[in-house]
Amino acid sequence: MSAPLALDGRPIDGGLYLRVDHWAQHLPGPVQHLVAGFSAYGLGLLAVLMLAAWWRARRTDGAAMARVLAAPFAVVLAFAADTALKSVLREPRPCQVLDAGRTLEVCPGVGDWSLPSNHTVIVFAGAAVLWHADRRLGALAAVLAVAMGLSRVLVGVHYPHDVLLGALVGTAAGYLLGLLARYGAPLVERARAGRLRPWLAAA
């Protein structure tokens, strides 16, 4: 059996990564801390948007609620696809193989593969599902997803192409599950007539 591919991302956009990293290292200190904090903990904002979408969907039809309830499953599906791709592509982090100096986030250890970007996959998957359920919150989630992807390059732990592939994987998983989730609308409507009504429908 052939060994998994070990991808070297440096020829793809290593030069762009180094330019972005150099620029990030010259940002004012408070801005660096803000970017690093957002990159590390910004996924919590996606959870907030999902909760807001659930709350708003209580006043809409079963299809919207079904899509909102599908959002966590889309995140899990996208993360599983991301993990599988990482184990095959096995691309080392740019901060491990390039002389990038001090990155804004501690460089992950050897064996923590770079392609695709986990954070980007997760946020784009959530944003794609929320777009189906609630256009306003979906748009906010899309802005969050783009900002998260950019931050992962700025903090120095991903190449730009890691983020692009992460966005594609996450969007595909989220959009597909969002389309399929509408078939769960009858189940939601039946559940609204039972004990789960307080969680699925407004009073």
Side-chain angles (χ1 to χ4, degrees):
M1 184 172 64
S2 60
L5 175 65
L7 179 67
D8 184 357
R10 288 174 291 184
I12 301 174
D13 49 16
L16 176 59
Y17 165 83
L18 288 173
R19 288 194 294 273
V20 172
D21 182 74
H22 177 77
W23 179 75
Q25 290 180 32
H26 288 81
L27 290 172
V31 176
Q32 290 183 343
H33 291 305
L34 180 63
V35 171
F38 170 77
S39 186
Y41 304 110
L43 292 180
L45 297 176
L46 177 64
V48 171
L49 290 175
M50 287 183 176
L51 286 173
W54 162 74
W55 186 258
R56 287 162 62 95
R58 292 166 66 248
R59 299 183 180 276
T60 60
D61 59 21
M65 177 58 79
R67 287 168 174 144
V68 169
L69 295 177
F73 295 99
V75 168
V76 172
L77 175 64
F79 182 76
D82 168 79
T83 302
L85 281 171
K86 279 180 181 290
S87 66
V88 173
L89 298 175
R90 300 171 66 244
E91 178 192 72
R93 300 272 180 168
C95 49
Q96 296 169 355
V97 296
L98 289 170
D99 185 15
R102 183 183 63 84
T103 54
L104 303 189
E105 184 174 303
V106 176
C107 189
V110 175
D112 188 338
W113 309 116
S114 191
L115 180 68
S117 162
N118 280 337
H119 287 66
T120 308
V121 165
I122 288 171
V123 184
F124 270 89
V129 178
L130 291 182
W131 178 259
H132 282 291
D134 187 309
R135 287 290 193 264
R136 182 174 297 178
L137 291 177
L140 288 175
V143 172
L144 172 65
V146 172
M148 177 58 71
L150 292 174
S151 77
R152 299 307 287 165
V153 180
L154 279 172
V155 298
V157 297
H158 281 291
Y159 293 104
H161 68 263
D162 298 339
V163 169
L164 289 176
L165 183 58
L168 289 173
V169 172
T171 301
Y175 192 80
L176 176 61
L177 203 55
L179 286 177
L180 295 176
R182 71 179 186 271
Y183 296 110
L187 294 176
V188 171
E189 295 296 351
R190 284 199 292 273
R192 279 177 166 178
R195 294 180 180 179
L196 294 178
R197 179 174 178 80
W199 297 96
L200 300 176

